[in-house]
Amino acid sequence: MKTMLDTRIHRFLRMSRRKQQVRFGSFRSLQPITHSFGFDGGLCIDRYYIESFMSQHAGGICGHVLEIGDDAYTRSLGGERVAKRDVLHVKEGDSRATIVADLTRADHLPSNTFDCIICTQTLQYIYNVQAAVRTLHRILKPGGVVLATFPNIAHISRYDMEHWGEYWRFTSMGAERLFNIAFPSGNVEVQAYGNVLTATAFLHGLPADRLTKEELDYRDRDYEVLVAVRAVKPKGRVPPPHKQGAKGAPPSTTTKA
């Protein structure tokens, strides 16, 4: 039997729903506005965040730099600080590649080689991602830095899914725990970018210039469109990588939402 209180609660909820009705407009569709991630209309929203992160840490792009896929950020942000550039690709045949290697089994790459490794939007395509992070740590010079980014809220890249496989999405917590496998927790800094508006726009393939700078730069910790990591290999002797980031270890205090 309904009580008077039940009736009042039901009436309140019904009135609240009326006030919060949403007009979906062009978003009310089973298909995105475009499948192109925003490439056909300008700068992609995730690329806006990647460039923001990379520009923030551009000072670390120096010395001998390895970039995965191409050397776009090495050239645009490294400038005269870069003494030597290398580009890694997993398969032979890419004219931009100076190194061909699979990060999960790259024993032929020498340890303690690179001052900076730029690894943007790559690790989601590697199933054995822990092995890849261990390789990044091993080939990095002591004192060197890895700058890595990953998608969290994003649709599948069908081309990459069919050519390489697309296995992972990373939250800020997951990215931190992943890098703590090889890097001490105090040497891992994580940032997350995005909000409900940019997440929705990105899923529909809208470019960044459809939104204002204020809308793009607002961060909501519950809507992580992009996650970025800056990890530094410590100088001197450190515990073996497999002892870092043990299961149950608390997250570091450097995580930023």
Side-chain angles (χ1 to χ4, degrees):
M1 179 181 294
K2 282 189 176 181
T3 66
M4 183 64 69
L5 178 60
D6 292 330
T7 303
R8 289 176 179 176
I9 291 174
H10 180 73
R11 185 182 303 160
F12 171 78
L13 292 174
R14 186 172 56 191
M15 293 176 64
S16 297
R17 292 191 192 101
R18 290 175 181 173
K19 292 179 180 179
Q20 295 174 3
Q21 285 181 347
V22 176
R23 294 186 178 183
F24 287 98
S26 58
F27 281 157
R28 195 181 189 107
S29 170
L30 297 180
Q31 297 295 323
I33 294 172
T34 172
H35 288 275
S36 71
F37 290 91
F39 278 116
D40 57 1
L43 182 66
C44 303
I45 288 173
D46 64 339
R47 291 290 161 181
Y48 174 88
Y49 292 140
I50 294 168
E51 291 185 6
S52 176
F53 170 75
M54 296 299 296
S55 297
Q56 179 184 352
H57 298 292
I61 305 174
C62 61
H64 190 178
V65 179
L66 173 67
E67 188 164 352
I68 312 300
D70 60 46
D71 60 356
Y73 291 118
T74 305
R75 289 181 178 275
S76 63
L77 298 174
E80 296 181 353
R81 296 187 304 274
V82 177
K84 183 178 180 181
R85 293 189 300 268
D86 274 305
V87 173
L88 183 146
H89 202 280
V90 70
K91 292 185 177 180
E92 294 183 358
D94 192 304
S95 60
R96 298 166 296 182
T98 60
I99 296 173
V100 176
D102 181 338
L103 288 175
T104 66
R105 40 192 174 89
D107 294 341
H108 61 291
L109 297 184
S111 302
N112 306 317
T113 300
F114 302 102
D115 296 287
C116 177
I117 301 175
I118 300 173
C119 185
T120 57
Q121 308 301 88
T122 299
L123 295 180
Q124 70 269 25
Y125 302 123
I126 300 175
Y127 182 75
N128 191 358
V129 67
Q130 296 185 5
V133 170
R134 289 191 178 98
T135 297
L136 295 177
H137 177 273
R138 181 181 62 80
I139 65 178
L140 195 65
K141 287 181 181 178
V145 60
V146 172
L147 300 174
T149 66
F150 332 89
N152 186 354
I153 301 174
H155 72 268
I156 295 294
S157 171
R158 181 51 48 188
Y159 174 89
D160 293 306
M161 169 74 88
E162 294 175 355
H163 284 76
W164 323 108
E166 187 165 354
Y167 301 102
W168 308 112
R169 291 291 182 265
F170 298 88
T171 64
S172 54
M173 181 180 290
E176 182 175 23
R177 290 290 294 271
L178 173 64
F179 271 77
N180 283 164
I181 291 169
F183 294 82
S185 60
N187 291 56
V188 177
E189 177 185 342
V190 183
Q191 297 188 54
Y193 300 83
N195 56 69
V196 67
L197 176 60
T198 59
T200 302
F202 183 49
L203 290 175
H204 271 280
L206 298 180
D209 63 8
R210 295 292 185 92
L211 303 175
T212 67
K213 188 177 187 302
E214 291 73 20
E215 290 169 336
L216 289 163
D217 291 344
Y218 178 77
R219 299 192 194 186
D220 185 332
R221 61 189 299 179
D222 293 332
Y223 294 89
E224 298 179 341
V225 173
L226 183 94
V227 175
V229 169
R230 177 182 179 270
V232 178
K233 184 174 182 176
K235 297 180 180 180
R237 292 179 60 85
V238 295
H242 68 275
K243 293 185 179 180
Q244 299 291 345
K247 185 176 181 180
S252 79
T253 57
T254 58
T255 301
K256 298 180 181 179

